[in-house]
């Protein structure tokens, strides 16, 4: 606050934890050779943590990643990258 006005700050008491995420997908037409990679540099899971493992569904987890800009990176390369090996 300063002189001549009052203010109320609104927000949480903690920061949102962020991580880097990469999804690596093999090209099924040439197994073991070519891959597509989707990388998000700074993200958080907005759907919370719900990890249910059962015999019928041994590896199920709901997630929704939201990318955040890293403004210190070059313009046009602040959220993530998609790359594919072509040779």
């Amino acid at each position: 606050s300063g002189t001549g006005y009052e203010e109320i700050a609104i927000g949480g008491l903690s920061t949102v934890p962020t991580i880097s995420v990469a999804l690596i997908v093999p090209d099924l037409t040439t197994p073991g050779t070519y891959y597509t990679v989707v990388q998000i540099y700074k993200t958080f899971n907005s759907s919370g943590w719900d990890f249910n493992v059962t015999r019928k569904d041994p590896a199920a987890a709901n997630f929704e990643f939201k990318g955040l800009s890293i403004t210190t990176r070059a313009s046009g390369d602040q959220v993530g990258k998609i790359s594919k090996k072509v040779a």
Side-chain angles (χ1 to χ4, degrees):
S1 71
T3 59
Y5 67 93
E6 293 179 352
E7 66 182 18
I8 298 173
I10 301 170
L13 299 175
S14 63
T15 58
V16 175
T18 60
I19 58 172
S20 177
V21 173
L23 174 65
I24 304 168
V25 182
D27 182 345
L28 298 178
T29 61
T30 53
T33 305
Y34 299 99
Y35 294 88
T36 298
V37 178
V38 178
Q39 180 181 8
I40 304 174
Y41 305 131
K42 184 177 182 181
T43 184
F44 68 97
N45 181 5
S46 64
S47 69
W49 181 254
D50 182 20
F51 189 76
N52 297 314
V53 177
T54 65
R55 289 183 182 178
K56 292 181 180 180
D57 203 358
N62 294 325
F63 56 86
E64 181 180 346
F65 292 113
K66 300 214 176 182
L68 304 172
S69 291
I70 301 175
T71 57
T72 56
R73 293 186 65 92
S75 180
D77 185 25
Q78 295 181 349
V79 177
K81 191 174 281 188
I82 298 172
S83 57
K84 181 178 181 180
K85 183 176 178 183
V86 294

